[in-house]
Amino acid sequence: AKVGERAAELPGSVHSVDPCWHVMAADREELAVARAAAARDASAAPTRVADHFPLVLHECKEPAAKFFHCFTERGEQRHGADVNAGERALRQCADLMRDYDQCMLAALQRRREALDARFASK
C-alpha cells in the first residue's frame, strides 16, 4: 500500500477525518479549540435557517437587515473552504435570527389570517 492510502486507513487519520488536513498544525489546533467551543454551544443555538429565509416582509426590514448583516459578516469563510462557516455564523447571530424569525412568523400569520377572513366573507 502507498503511504497516502495507508494513512487514510488509520483511525483518526487527518486524511480521513479532518477536511482541513492541509492547514498548518497551529491552525489545526486553533480549529480544534473553535470546534470544541462550537460543540459546547451547539445545543444553545439553531444550526439552520427557517423556511422563510431569505424572505423579508416590509414590517420586518429592520430585524432582517440586522440578522443578514451579522450572518454575512460572521459567515465569512476562513482557511479556504471552511465548511463550518455557516453554522458558526448562525450560532453567533442566534439572537438576531430569533428576532427576524419572530417578526416574520408573526407577519406571515397576520397575512394568512387576513386572507382567510377575505375568502371566508365571499
Side-chain angles (χ1 to χ4, degrees), residues 91-116:
R91 282 191 304 276
Q92 292 175 353
C93 302
D95 291 341
L96 296 173
M97 182 170 64
R98 185 189 64 241
D99 294 345
Y100 161 70
D101 287 343
Q102 288 174 347
C103 183
M104 287 297 296
L105 291 173
L108 289 169
Q109 182 62 35
R110 286 191 299 272
R111 288 180 181 213
R112 279 188 210 105
E113 290 170 359
L115 283 174
D116 289 345

PDB file of all heavy atoms in Angstrom, residues 91-116:
ATOM      1  N   ARG A  91     -24.798  30.415  14.963  1.00  0.00           N
ATOM      2  CA  ARG A  91     -24.652  30.414  16.428  1.00  0.00           C
ATOM      3  C   ARG A  91     -24.332  31.811  16.939  1.00  0.00           C
ATOM      4  O   ARG A  91     -24.891  32.258  17.940  1.00  0.00           O
ATOM      5  CB  ARG A  91     -23.566  29.431  16.857  1.00  0.00           C
ATOM      6  CG  ARG A  91     -24.012  27.985  16.853  1.00  0.00           C
ATOM      7  CD  ARG A  91     -22.991  27.100  17.542  1.00  0.00           C
ATOM      8  NE  ARG A  91     -21.666  27.217  16.970  1.00  0.00           N
ATOM      9  CZ  ARG A  91     -21.221  26.559  15.903  1.00  0.00           C
ATOM     10  NH1 ARG A  91     -22.021  25.731  15.279  1.00  0.00           N
ATOM     11  NH2 ARG A  91     -19.992  26.720  15.473  1.00  0.00           N
ATOM     12  N   GLN A  92     -23.451  32.512  16.257  1.00  0.00           N
ATOM     13  CA  GLN A  92     -23.042  33.841  16.707  1.00  0.00           C
ATOM     14  C   GLN A  92     -24.142  34.883  16.510  1.00  0.00           C
ATOM     15  O   GLN A  92     -24.158  35.893  17.205  1.00  0.00           O
ATOM     16  CB  GLN A  92     -21.762  34.274  15.993  1.00  0.00           C
ATOM     17  CG  GLN A  92     -20.564  33.445  16.404  1.00  0.00           C
ATOM     18  CD  GLN A  92     -19.318  33.796  15.607  1.00  0.00           C
ATOM     19  OE1 GLN A  92     -19.359  34.572  14.662  1.00  0.00           O
ATOM     20  NE2 GLN A  92     -18.201  33.207  15.999  1.00  0.00           N
ATOM     21  N   CYS A  93     -25.038  34.643  15.585  1.00  0.00           N
ATOM     22  CA  CYS A  93     -26.106  35.600  15.278  1.00  0.00           C
ATOM     23  C   CYS A  93     -27.474  35.079  15.745  1.00  0.00           C
ATOM     24  O   CYS A  93     -28.514  35.544  15.265  1.00  0.00           O
ATOM     25  CB  CYS A  93     -26.146  35.876  13.784  1.00  0.00           C
ATOM     26  SG  CYS A  93     -24.594  36.506  13.112  1.00  0.00           S
ATOM     27  N   ALA A  94     -27.482  34.138  16.661  1.00  0.00           N
ATOM     28  CA  ALA A  94     -28.721  33.465  17.076  1.00  0.00           C
ATOM     29  C   ALA A  94     -29.775  34.439  17.607  1.00  0.00           C
ATOM     30  O   ALA A  94     -30.962  34.297  17.299  1.00  0.00           O
ATOM     31  CB  ALA A  94     -28.418  32.384  18.109  1.00  0.00           C
ATOM     32  N   ASP A  95     -29.381  35.421  18.398  1.00  0.00           N
ATOM     33  CA  ASP A  95     -30.358  36.373  18.942  1.00  0.00           C
ATOM     34  C   ASP A  95     -31.000  37.204  17.832  1.00  0.00           C
ATOM     35  O   ASP A  95     -32.214  37.426  17.841  1.00  0.00           O
ATOM     36  CB  ASP A  95     -29.702  37.298  19.961  1.00  0.00           C
ATOM     37  CG  ASP A  95     -29.294  36.572  21.235  1.00  0.00           C
ATOM     38  OD1 ASP A  95     -29.822  35.469  21.492  1.00  0.00           O
ATOM     39  OD2 ASP A  95     -28.441  37.110  21.964  1.00  0.00           O
ATOM     40  N   LEU A  96     -30.189  37.640  16.879  1.00  0.00           N
ATOM     41  CA  LEU A  96     -30.725  38.428  15.761  1.00  0.00           C
ATOM     42  C   LEU A  96     -31.598  37.566  14.856  1.00  0.00           C
ATOM     43  O   LEU A  96     -32.615  38.041  14.330  1.00  0.00           O
ATOM     44  CB  LEU A  96     -29.579  39.062  14.968  1.00  0.00           C
ATOM     45  CG  LEU A  96     -28.746  40.089  15.737  1.00  0.00           C
ATOM     46  CD1 LEU A  96     -27.530  40.520  14.924  1.00  0.00           C
ATOM     47  CD2 LEU A  96     -29.597  41.287  16.115  1.00  0.00           C
ATOM     48  N   MET A  97     -31.215  36.293  14.671  1.00  0.00           N
ATOM     49  CA  MET A  97     -32.026  35.393  13.863  1.00  0.00           C
ATOM     50  C   MET A  97     -33.367  35.140  14.550  1.00  0.00           C
ATOM     51  O   MET A  97     -34.407  35.096  13.892  1.00  0.00           O
ATOM     52  CB  MET A  97     -31.302  34.067  13.615  1.00  0.00           C
ATOM     53  CG  MET A  97     -32.101  33.123  12.725  1.00  0.00           C
ATOM     54  SD  MET A  97     -31.213  31.668  12.158  1.00  0.00           S
ATOM     55  CE  MET A  97     -30.899  30.833  13.688  1.00  0.00           C
ATOM     56  N   ARG A  98     -33.353  35.003  15.869  1.00  0.00           N
ATOM     57  CA  ARG A  98     -34.605  34.797  16.610  1.00  0.00           C
ATOM     58  C   ARG A  98     -35.537  35.998  16.417  1.00  0.00           C
ATOM     59  O   ARG A  98     -36.730  35.831  16.166  1.00  0.00           O
ATOM     60  CB  ARG A  98     -34.315  34.580  18.090  1.00  0.00           C
ATOM     61  CG  ARG A  98     -35.571  34.236  18.901  1.00  0.00           C
ATOM     62  CD  ARG A  98     -35.327  34.236  20.392  1.00  0.00           C
ATOM     63  NE  ARG A  98     -34.966  35.593  20.804  1.00  0.00           N
ATOM     64  CZ  ARG A  98     -33.811  35.919  21.365  1.00  0.00           C
ATOM     65  NH1 ARG A  98     -32.907  35.010  21.605  1.00  0.00           N
ATOM     66  NH2 ARG A  98     -33.561  37.177  21.698  1.00  0.00           N
ATOM     67  N   ASP A  99     -35.000  37.221  16.489  1.00  0.00           N
ATOM     68  CA  ASP A  99     -35.815  38.428  16.281  1.00  0.00           C
ATOM     69  C   ASP A  99     -36.406  38.450  14.870  1.00  0.00           C
ATOM     70  O   ASP A  99     -37.587  38.758  14.681  1.00  0.00           O
ATOM     71  CB  ASP A  99     -34.981  39.689  16.509  1.00  0.00           C
ATOM     72  CG  ASP A  99     -34.520  39.841  17.954  1.00  0.00           C
ATOM     73  OD1 ASP A  99     -35.065  39.149  18.849  1.00  0.00           O
ATOM     74  OD2 ASP A  99     -33.598  40.646  18.181  1.00  0.00           O
ATOM     75  N   TYR A 100     -35.581  38.132  13.877  1.00  0.00           N
ATOM     76  CA  TYR A 100     -36.029  38.066  12.473  1.00  0.00           C
ATOM     77  C   TYR A 100     -37.123  37.000  12.321  1.00  0.00           C
ATOM     78  O   TYR A 100     -38.178  37.265  11.744  1.00  0.00           O
ATOM     79  CB  TYR A 100     -34.825  37.770  11.570  1.00  0.00           C
ATOM     80  CG  TYR A 100     -35.160  37.241  10.197  1.00  0.00           C
ATOM     81  CD1 TYR A 100     -35.761  38.049   9.242  1.00  0.00           C
ATOM     82  CD2 TYR A 100     -34.846  35.928   9.850  1.00  0.00           C
ATOM     83  CE1 TYR A 100     -36.062  37.559   7.969  1.00  0.00           C
ATOM     84  CE2 TYR A 100     -35.138  35.440   8.592  1.00  0.00           C
ATOM     85  CZ  TYR A 100     -35.741  36.250   7.654  1.00  0.00           C
ATOM     86  OH  TYR A 100     -36.040  35.761   6.407  1.00  0.00           O
ATOM     87  N   ASP A 101     -36.891  35.818  12.873  1.00  0.00           N
ATOM     88  CA  ASP A 101     -37.862  34.729  12.751  1.00  0.00           C
ATOM     89  C   ASP A 101     -39.188  35.075  13.418  1.00  0.00           C
ATOM     90  O   ASP A 101     -40.257  34.826  12.852  1.00  0.00           O
ATOM     91  CB  ASP A 101     -37.306  33.436  13.354  1.00  0.00           C
ATOM     92  CG  ASP A 101     -36.226  32.808  12.503  1.00  0.00           C
ATOM     93  OD1 ASP A 101     -36.113  33.151  11.307  1.00  0.00           O
ATOM     94  OD2 ASP A 101     -35.475  31.965  13.042  1.00  0.00           O
ATOM     95  N   GLN A 102     -39.127  35.640  14.623  1.00  0.00           N
ATOM     96  CA  GLN A 102     -40.360  36.002  15.326  1.00  0.00           C
ATOM     97  C   GLN A 102     -41.149  37.039  14.547  1.00  0.00           C
ATOM     98  O   GLN A 102     -42.375  36.931  14.431  1.00  0.00           O
ATOM     99  CB  GLN A 102     -40.036  36.516  16.733  1.00  0.00           C
ATOM    100  CG  GLN A 102     -39.591  35.428  17.669  1.00  0.00           C
ATOM    101  CD  GLN A 102     -39.143  35.962  19.027  1.00  0.00           C
ATOM    102  OE1 GLN A 102     -38.945  37.165  19.202  1.00  0.00           O
ATOM    103  NE2 GLN A 102     -38.975  35.065  19.979  1.00  0.00           N
ATOM    104  N   CYS A 103     -40.474  38.024  14.012  1.00  0.00           N
ATOM    105  CA  CYS A 103     -41.142  39.052  13.213  1.00  0.00           C
ATOM    106  C   CYS A 103     -41.778  38.435  11.971  1.00  0.00           C
ATOM    107  O   CYS A 103     -42.939  38.693  11.661  1.00  0.00           O
ATOM    108  CB  CYS A 103     -40.150  40.149  12.823  1.00  0.00           C
ATOM    109  SG  CYS A 103     -40.914  41.505  11.893  1.00  0.00           S
ATOM    110  N   MET A 104     -41.009  37.617  11.269  1.00  0.00           N
ATOM    111  CA  MET A 104     -41.517  37.006  10.031  1.00  0.00           C
ATOM    112  C   MET A 104     -42.705  36.083  10.315  1.00  0.00           C
ATOM    113  O   MET A 104     -43.701  36.109   9.587  1.00  0.00           O
ATOM    114  CB  MET A 104     -40.401  36.239   9.323  1.00  0.00           C
ATOM    115  CG  MET A 104     -39.371  37.135   8.670  1.00  0.00           C
ATOM    116  SD  MET A 104     -40.076  38.156   7.348  1.00  0.00           S
ATOM    117  CE  MET A 104     -40.583  36.901   6.195  1.00  0.00           C
ATOM    118  N   LEU A 105     -42.608  35.268  11.349  1.00  0.00           N
ATOM    119  CA  LEU A 105     -43.707  34.353  11.664  1.00  0.00           C
ATOM    120  C   LEU A 105     -44.976  35.111  12.033  1.00  0.00           C
ATOM    121  O   LEU A 105     -46.072  34.748  11.598  1.00  0.00           O
ATOM    122  CB  LEU A 105     -43.292  33.393  12.782  1.00  0.00           C
ATOM    123  CG  LEU A 105     -42.222  32.380  12.390  1.00  0.00           C
ATOM    124  CD1 LEU A 105     -41.748  31.586  13.606  1.00  0.00           C
ATOM    125  CD2 LEU A 105     -42.717  31.453  11.296  1.00  0.00           C
ATOM    126  N   ALA A 106     -44.832  36.177  12.815  1.00  0.00           N
ATOM    127  CA  ALA A 106     -45.995  36.992  13.185  1.00  0.00           C
ATOM    128  C   ALA A 106     -46.588  37.670  11.948  1.00  0.00           C
ATOM    129  O   ALA A 106     -47.817  37.692  11.773  1.00  0.00           O
ATOM    130  CB  ALA A 106     -45.592  38.023  14.234  1.00  0.00           C
ATOM    131  N   ALA A 107     -45.744  38.230  11.098  1.00  0.00           N
ATOM    132  CA  ALA A 107     -46.222  38.912   9.893  1.00  0.00           C
ATOM    133  C   ALA A 107     -46.896  37.937   8.932  1.00  0.00           C
ATOM    134  O   ALA A 107     -47.958  38.245   8.363  1.00  0.00           O
ATOM    135  CB  ALA A 107     -45.062  39.632   9.203  1.00  0.00           C
ATOM    136  N   LEU A 108     -46.311  36.773   8.762  1.00  0.00           N
ATOM    137  CA  LEU A 108     -46.912  35.763   7.886  1.00  0.00           C
ATOM    138  C   LEU A 108     -48.254  35.283   8.443  1.00  0.00           C
ATOM    139  O   LEU A 108     -49.206  35.071   7.690  1.00  0.00           O
ATOM    140  CB  LEU A 108     -45.948  34.589   7.682  1.00  0.00           C
ATOM    141  CG  LEU A 108     -44.725  34.891   6.818  1.00  0.00           C
ATOM    142  CD1 LEU A 108     -43.714  33.757   6.911  1.00  0.00           C
ATOM    143  CD2 LEU A 108     -45.133  35.135   5.369  1.00  0.00           C
ATOM    144  N   GLN A 109     -48.336  35.124   9.755  1.00  0.00           N
ATOM    145  CA  GLN A 109     -49.589  34.702  10.386  1.00  0.00           C
ATOM    146  C   GLN A 109     -50.677  35.760  10.178  1.00  0.00           C
ATOM    147  O   GLN A 109     -51.813  35.423   9.856  1.00  0.00           O
ATOM    148  CB  GLN A 109     -49.381  34.438  11.875  1.00  0.00           C
ATOM    149  CG  GLN A 109     -50.629  33.941  12.586  1.00  0.00           C
ATOM    150  CD  GLN A 109     -51.129  32.615  12.037  1.00  0.00           C
ATOM    151  OE1 GLN A 109     -50.352  31.756  11.648  1.00  0.00           O
ATOM    152  NE2 GLN A 109     -52.437  32.445  12.010  1.00  0.00           N
ATOM    153  N   ARG A 110     -50.317  37.030  10.335  1.00  0.00           N
ATOM    154  CA  ARG A 110     -51.294  38.110  10.100  1.00  0.00           C
ATOM    155  C   ARG A 110     -51.784  38.082   8.655  1.00  0.00           C
ATOM    156  O   ARG A 110     -52.974  38.268   8.385  1.00  0.00           O
ATOM    157  CB  ARG A 110     -50.686  39.471  10.424  1.00  0.00           C
ATOM    158  CG  ARG A 110     -50.541  39.746  11.908  1.00  0.00           C
ATOM    159  CD  ARG A 110     -50.183  41.192  12.192  1.00  0.00           C
ATOM    160  NE  ARG A 110     -48.916  41.600  11.596  1.00  0.00           N
ATOM    161  CZ  ARG A 110     -47.724  41.470  12.193  1.00  0.00           C
ATOM    162  NH1 ARG A 110     -47.643  40.934  13.390  1.00  0.00           N
ATOM    163  NH2 ARG A 110     -46.622  41.872  11.580  1.00  0.00           N
ATOM    164  N   ARG A 111     -50.886  37.833   7.726  1.00  0.00           N
ATOM    165  CA  ARG A 111     -51.287  37.782   6.305  1.00  0.00           C
ATOM    166  C   ARG A 111     -52.182  36.585   6.029  1.00  0.00           C
ATOM    167  O   ARG A 111     -53.151  36.693   5.275  1.00  0.00           O
ATOM    168  CB  ARG A 111     -50.055  37.760   5.404  1.00  0.00           C
ATOM    169  CG  ARG A 111     -49.368  39.113   5.393  1.00  0.00           C
ATOM    170  CD  ARG A 111     -48.161  39.124   4.525  1.00  0.00           C
ATOM    171  NE  ARG A 111     -47.543  40.446   4.593  1.00  0.00           N
ATOM    172  CZ  ARG A 111     -46.918  41.018   3.593  1.00  0.00           C
ATOM    173  NH1 ARG A 111     -46.803  40.403   2.443  1.00  0.00           N
ATOM    174  NH2 ARG A 111     -46.395  42.221   3.743  1.00  0.00           N
ATOM    175  N   ARG A 112     -51.871  35.441   6.641  1.00  0.00           N
ATOM    176  CA  ARG A 112     -52.738  34.264   6.467  1.00  0.00           C
ATOM    177  C   ARG A 112     -54.140  34.539   7.011  1.00  0.00           C
ATOM    178  O   ARG A 112     -55.147  34.182   6.388  1.00  0.00           O
ATOM    179  CB  ARG A 112     -52.134  33.050   7.189  1.00  0.00           C
ATOM    180  CG  ARG A 112     -51.075  32.357   6.427  1.00  0.00           C
ATOM    181  CD  ARG A 112     -50.660  31.048   7.114  1.00  0.00           C
ATOM    182  NE  ARG A 112     -49.280  30.805   6.804  1.00  0.00           N
ATOM    183  CZ  ARG A 112     -48.260  30.964   7.631  1.00  0.00           C
ATOM    184  NH1 ARG A 112     -48.444  31.319   8.872  1.00  0.00           N
ATOM    185  NH2 ARG A 112     -47.035  30.737   7.235  1.00  0.00           N
ATOM    186  N   GLU A 113     -54.187  35.133   8.202  1.00  0.00           N
ATOM    187  CA  GLU A 113     -55.486  35.443   8.816  1.00  0.00           C
ATOM    188  C   GLU A 113     -56.277  36.429   7.962  1.00  0.00           C
ATOM    189  O   GLU A 113     -57.490  36.285   7.812  1.00  0.00           O
ATOM    190  CB  GLU A 113     -55.277  35.984  10.229  1.00  0.00           C
ATOM    191  CG  GLU A 113     -54.789  34.929  11.203  1.00  0.00           C
ATOM    192  CD  GLU A 113     -54.337  35.499  12.541  1.00  0.00           C
ATOM    193  OE1 GLU A 113     -54.371  36.735  12.723  1.00  0.00           O
ATOM    194  OE2 GLU A 113     -53.944  34.686  13.389  1.00  0.00           O
ATOM    195  N   ALA A 114     -55.602  37.421   7.399  1.00  0.00           N
ATOM    196  CA  ALA A 114     -56.279  38.397   6.537  1.00  0.00           C
ATOM    197  C   ALA A 114     -56.819  37.705   5.291  1.00  0.00           C
ATOM    198  O   ALA A 114     -57.951  37.986   4.861  1.00  0.00           O
ATOM    199  CB  ALA A 114     -55.323  39.523   6.163  1.00  0.00           C
ATOM    200  N   LEU A 115     -56.052  36.806   4.709  1.00  0.00           N
ATOM    201  CA  LEU A 115     -56.529  36.071   3.519  1.00  0.00           C
ATOM    202  C   LEU A 115     -57.684  35.160   3.881  1.00  0.00           C
ATOM    203  O   LEU A 115     -58.668  35.079   3.130  1.00  0.00           O
ATOM    204  CB  LEU A 115     -55.380  35.273   2.906  1.00  0.00           C
ATOM    205  CG  LEU A 115     -54.364  36.061   2.094  1.00  0.00           C
ATOM    206  CD1 LEU A 115     -53.203  35.172   1.679  1.00  0.00           C
ATOM    207  CD2 LEU A 115     -55.024  36.676   0.866  1.00  0.00           C
ATOM    208  N   ASP A 116     -57.568  34.476   5.007  1.00  0.00           N
ATOM    209  CA  ASP A 116     -58.661  33.597   5.443  1.00  0.00           C
ATOM    210  C   ASP A 116     -59.944  34.386   5.645  1.00  0.00           C
ATOM    211  O   ASP A 116     -61.028  33.960   5.220  1.00  0.00           O
ATOM    212  CB  ASP A 116     -58.293  32.862   6.740  1.00  0.00           C
ATOM    213  CG  ASP A 116     -57.231  31.791   6.525  1.00  0.00           C
ATOM    214  OD1 ASP A 116     -56.973  31.419   5.354  1.00  0.00           O
ATOM    215  OD2 ASP A 116     -56.653  31.330   7.535  1.00  0.00           O
TER     216      ASP A 116
END
